[in-house]
Amino acid sequence: MKAACRAWEQLEAWADLTAGPASCGQGQALVADGGDIAHLHNDHDADLYLTDEAIGRMRIELEHSTAVRLYPGTGWVTLRLDCDQDAELMVSLVSVALQAHARHRPMPAASLCNRGRITIMPTGQGSPSAEQSELPRRIRVPRLTRGRSRSQGQRTA
């Protein structure tokens, strides 16, 4: 049995969680108090709604894990579940998510999970830094004024 399936079965037995379809439309969800806490999209990919506050408290530890991908401002983390340690991490992080949501009653509205987000990384690089994973990347564009020459500040014909 795959690590993700073992973790999911363990979490489904928790009294505070109910299984159902994922709100993103792909895979299964674990729901607490009417809101999605976790999505299992396939045998290897899961998204957990930890909240921005919980991610902020744990950012350094999360960034050191090769199984975790962070997408700033979403409140969700993505887990790549390849081994038993990744599944154990998932169970621990679902517990963190439940605690984070218990502090914020009613539960904060979740943004969309990370399923549709991508990170493009240079070949041979490890986990993306916060700067690398922010999408879309901001590009400085020169300011143009309609009908004025930049050098003279006068109207052109």
Side-chain angles (χ1 to χ4, degrees):
M1 180 184 291
K2 296 195 184 302
C5 294
R6 281 193 299 277
W8 200 260
E9 286 179 1
Q10 181 180 349
L11 291 166
E12 283 181 319
W14 289 12
D16 293 339
L17 297 173
T18 305
S23 60
C24 67
Q26 183 170 358
Q28 303 173 40
L30 291 173
V31 179
D33 293 330
D36 290 7
I37 294 285
H39 291 177
L40 184 63
H41 298 295
N42 55 46
D43 289 343
H44 295 283
D45 298 305
D47 286 327
L48 307 177
Y49 185 44
L50 297 182
T51 72
D52 286 325
E53 180 183 327
I55 292 171
R57 283 193 319 270
M58 301 174 56
R59 177 169 297 282
I60 293 171
E61 293 83 2
L62 293 170
E63 287 176 341
H64 281 38
S65 172
T66 58
V68 176
R69 296 292 178 261
L70 300 175
Y71 297 89
T74 66
W76 292 84
V77 298
T78 298
L79 293 178
R80 178 71 183 172
L81 302 162
D82 290 324
C83 62
D84 289 337
Q85 290 82 6
D86 298 340
E88 291 169 8
L89 177 62
M90 179 180 177
V91 172
S92 296
L93 290 177
V94 168
S95 178
V96 169
L98 287 170
Q99 292 170 22
H101 293 288
R103 282 192 290 277
H104 298 285
R105 300 264 185 222
M107 189 168 142
S111 61
L112 294 176
C113 74
N114 294 335
R115 183 66 186 151
R117 302 175 201 278
I118 60 168
T119 300
I120 300 171
M121 297 171 36
T123 304
Q125 296 293 317
S127 178
S129 68
E131 288 180 26
Q132 288 174 322
S133 63
E134 287 185 48
L135 295 176
R137 183 167 278 171
R138 297 184 105 184
I139 301 170
R140 187 178 178 119
V141 177
R143 188 172 182 169
L144 302 175
T145 54
R146 185 178 169 128
R148 294 194 182 267
S149 168
R150 286 185 61 136
S151 60
Q152 298 175 1
Q154 298 177 4
R155 283 195 155 250
T156 58

